[in-house]
Amino acid sequence: MLDAKVPDGPMAEKWTRHKFNMKLVNPANKRKFSVIVVGTGLAGASAAASLSEMGYKVKSFCFQDSPRRAHSIAAQGGINAAKNYPNDGDSVHRLFYDTVKGGDYRSREANVHRLAEVSVNIIDQCVAQGVPFAREYGGYLDNRSFGGAQVSRTFYARGQTGQQLLLGAYSALMKESANGNVDLYTRREMLDLIVVDGRAVGIVVRNLISGKIESHTADAVILATGGYGNVFYLSTNAMGSNVTAAWRAHRRGAYFANPCYTQIHPTCIPVHGDFQSKLTLMSESLRNDGRIWVPRKQGDTRRASEIPEEERNYYLEEKYPSFGNLVPRDVASRNAKEWCDKGFGVGSTGTAVYLDFRDAIKRDGEDTIREKYGNLFDMYERIVDDNPYQMPMMIYPAVHYTMGGLWVDYNLMSNLDGLHVLGEANFSDHGANRLGASALMQGLADGYFVIPYTLGDYIAKAGPAGIGVDHPEVKAVEEQVKARIDRLVNSKGSKTVDEYHRELGLIMWNKCGMARNESDLKEALEEIPELRAEFHENMNVTGSPGNFNQVLERAGRVSDFFEFAETMVRDALERSESCGGHFREESQTDEGEALRKDDTFCHVSAWEYKGPDKEPALHKEPLNFEEVALTQRSYK
């Protein structure tokens, strides 16, 4: 049974009451317990630093050469918090409401309300760390708007917010490492989870430099390993981002929740070649001042500057007058695709729309726009070789964030005792669509303000695990990892790992991407196993396992993507409604909006692994809405 462990009482009091009722670990006893934290992004770095400061012995792992290379560094536009500094009507309740509505009523209310509550503390924490948020002339922290909200609640540092926040968390982590309280393991990739008697007690990792297989045990394990967007091959994620840690935990018994929920970001630089390896995000913050449009004439090949105002279709402003260009990401993405599919797209491929700053520059001046977005404009010009101060940007939707992840309860613990999951790696806060600037908020909320309480409650109840690296179960998992690596490295076929990854990504994008239908999903479930079998028979892995071998690294990750992709497609097929980023063509309103089926699908879909080549079992956690009424989303 899925027990979310949501506390009783009024929504606004649940977290406060829960904190008081949780069991505590004496400060002097904390040093007796050890915690493994996998991932050093905002969630992982903040959790590791916080737990270490409290006295726990922490081991921190990342596959990069430095914790500050975690993908959180790529976030651009900002971080939400219900501070109401602009005095425009924001509140904890409004942030809570906007997040539940933005997620199309497919998130757990209690988790979302807690997120809104602690958001106000995150900004104070980060300012104290020296994060250089943008400020108004008088010195107050500045705010800007993001999609899905009619208030300005997004704090930012130009277009580098993720980088600045990560440097704050990284500084806290490295302070603890320098003090000897955190053992930092870089260039280690988690390849399996160690579970003894139903309790997660450690991980098996591969040293990516030496190739050595290592085991590490602890009293609890925290995964903060990000999302699985690279299953599509092309995405805005770093090329190393993968599903392996979460998938291996899933194979050991952790349920995977809502894997079909993928966020397609509307503001990305379009695909420009068959051999492109990743896509580049242009921050949603640009939609504050940029206006999105397409020509009113199909197949119009004129330059944007040659198209007069009356022949420009500002389709978001016309269709959604209340929110305009700041509708949520799923809505903006689907509308861009719709107009391009109709033949109104721009650029050489016809799969782009304009993001135009002409009016903002006329209104505020180029210097003001440069001050707000200069680094983003520079990045665009370097990639596209076009000056966005003079010509509109061309953008198109791309895979960005994944709302699905390992299932966790209110305490952020999976159904496996001792395995806690933070940030994008869990499913808990964003429902079927994440509002912009909420990823950074969730990562820091989980790491700084939730897990320090809930982990203590778990440790106080469970006590020490008492499992060392010489335990027979640890050795057994080690041998299984080595055998899996040997199978991969002994594959000497004729095609590269990247070729197979690209083929898998095309299947996923075409049949489980921005729009899905029953026929395509069923075809994908036939094509993926066939391609997976060919992958294992015909991929070419060069080199040996006992040294630095990036081809082997990618082979392991792609192998897990193949397995995960089947569960993702199966989840999309089973959920025959549309909600947020999951758009089933058979379930839409007359106006083309997502049409939910609350009587049938008002639940979390949590999948249980049953073994290789066996269908997973589906478990359902009902979603109950006490504070926000279930209604059809409208941004008009």
Side-chain angles (χ1 to χ4, degrees), residues 335-528:
N335 277 269
K337 180 180 186 297
E338 177 185 345
W339 284 102
C340 289
D341 289 348
K342 289 178 180 178
F344 294 91
V346 300
S348 59
T349 63
T351 52
V353 300
Y354 286 128
L355 179 62
D356 196 342
F357 290 85
R358 181 195 64 177
D359 294 344
I361 291 173
K362 285 182 180 178
R363 181 185 68 241
D364 300 328
E366 184 175 318
D367 289 345
T368 299
I369 298 302
R370 191 180 297 275
E371 185 177 340
K372 284 183 177 179
Y373 311 113
N375 61 307
L376 298 170
F377 279 49
D378 292 344
M379 182 170 65
Y380 180 88
E381 185 169 6
R382 289 176 184 175
I383 295 172
V384 180
D385 196 24
D386 211 351
N387 186 342
Y389 294 103
Q390 299 173 1
M391 295 290 293
M393 292 182 180
M394 286 191 288
I395 59 169
Y396 193 70
V399 172
H400 179 54
Y401 187 91
T402 51
M403 286 75 65
L406 293 181
W407 182 90
V408 292
D409 61 20
Y410 188 73
N411 295 322
L412 302 185
M413 188 165 75
S414 77
N415 58 295
L416 284 179
D417 282 353
L419 178 65
H420 296 75
V421 190
L422 313 185
E424 190 179 0
N426 75 32
F427 88 99
S428 67
D429 290 5
H430 306 298
N433 173 64
R434 177 177 67 80
L435 292 184
S438 287
L440 306 185
M441 177 176 62
Q442 186 208 351
L444 292 180
D446 287 356
Y448 281 139
F449 298 107
V450 179
I451 198 64
Y453 288 94
T454 60
L455 184 78
D457 181 63
Y458 168 74
I459 291 288
K461 294 174 180 175
I467 301 295
V469 293
D470 293 327
H471 191 279
E473 189 61 34
V474 175
K475 292 300 181 183
V477 176
E478 255 189 43
E479 292 306 313
Q480 291 166 18
V481 168
K482 291 175 181 177
R484 191 161 70 245
I485 288 174
D486 287 342
R487 286 195 298 272
L488 291 171
V489 84
N490 287 328
S491 181
K492 304 297 181 184
S494 61
K495 288 175 66 173
T496 67
V497 172
D498 286 350
E499 286 180 275
Y500 281 110
H501 192 182
R502 189 180 292 112
E503 289 182 44
L504 172 65
L506 282 173
I507 294 173
M508 296 301 291
W509 177 248
N510 291 331
K511 298 182 178 178
C512 195
M514 262 196 288
R516 298 120 185 233
N517 60 62
E518 182 178 2
S519 175
D520 282 350
L521 292 169
K522 286 182 176 179
E523 286 182 10
L525 278 180
E526 294 176 356
E527 294 171 1
I528 293 170

Side-chain angles (χ1 to χ4, degrees), residues 15-252:
W15 178 233
T16 301
R17 290 185 177 188
H18 190 55
K19 285 190 292 184
F20 180 77
N21 291 328
M22 283 190 285
K23 292 187 177 297
L24 303 176
V25 179
N26 182 302
N29 287 338
K30 288 188 174 76
R31 64 178 66 96
K32 300 176 183 178
F33 295 96
S34 58
V35 183
I36 285 172
V37 182
V38 187
T40 57
L42 287 181
S46 59
S50 298
L51 295 170
S52 174
E53 289 170 351
M54 296 173 74
Y56 295 104
K57 291 187 287 187
V58 177
K59 289 185 176 182
S60 173
F61 295 82
C62 67
F63 65 71
Q64 299 93 345
D65 59 351
S66 166
R68 67 180 181 275
R69 291 190 184 273
H71 189 56
S72 298
I73 204 170
Q76 297 169 347
I79 177 171
N80 287 330
K83 284 286 197 181
N84 194 32
Y85 283 173
N87 199 29
D88 58 356
D90 201 11
S91 65
V92 167
H93 185 80
R94 188 175 294 278
L95 175 54
F96 159 67
Y97 171 82
D98 287 347
T99 305
V100 171
K101 177 183 176 183
D104 217 351
Y105 305 92
R106 289 296 176 261
S107 52
R108 189 189 291 148
E109 271 194 335
N111 287 64
V112 177
H113 198 281
R114 176 177 63 190
L115 177 64
E117 286 179 64
V118 304
S119 71
V120 298
N121 300 325
I122 295 171
I123 303 303
D124 298 337
Q125 170 88 4
C126 294
V127 169
Q129 290 176 332
V131 173
F133 287 120
R135 293 179 181 267
E136 296 176 334
Y137 179 78
Y140 293 102
L141 297 183
D142 197 13
N143 289 109
R144 57 189 177 197
S145 300
F146 259 61
Q150 291 180 303
V151 297
S152 295
R153 63 163 67 102
T154 304
F155 296 78
Y156 64 98
R158 296 189 76 188
Q160 306 169 350
T161 314
Q163 179 181 15
Q164 300 304 327
L165 291 172
L166 184 61
L167 288 174
Y170 166 76
S171 298
L173 174 63
M174 295 311 293
K175 179 205 64 167
E176 290 301 298
S177 177
N179 290 338
N181 302 323
V182 172
D183 291 329
L184 190 60
Y185 295 86
T186 60
R187 285 297 192 182
R188 292 340 193 262
E189 181 167 21
M190 174 183 160
L191 295 183
D192 219 328
L193 180 73
I194 300 168
V195 180
V196 178
D197 296 330
R199 177 176 178 174
V201 295
I203 59 174
V204 175
V205 301
R206 179 174 180 268
N207 184 317
L208 298 182
I209 302 299
S210 68
K212 181 182 177 182
I213 301 302
E214 305 170 357
S215 294
H216 299 266
T217 58
D219 299 304
V221 177
I222 294 173
L223 295 188
T225 51
Y228 47 83
N230 276 351
V231 69
F232 292 90
Y233 186 70
L234 285 180
S235 80
T236 66
N237 292 181
M239 291 181 65
S241 299
N242 62 82
V243 77
T244 290
W247 186 251
R248 290 291 142 185
H250 174 62
R251 287 178 60 109
R252 292 292 175 186

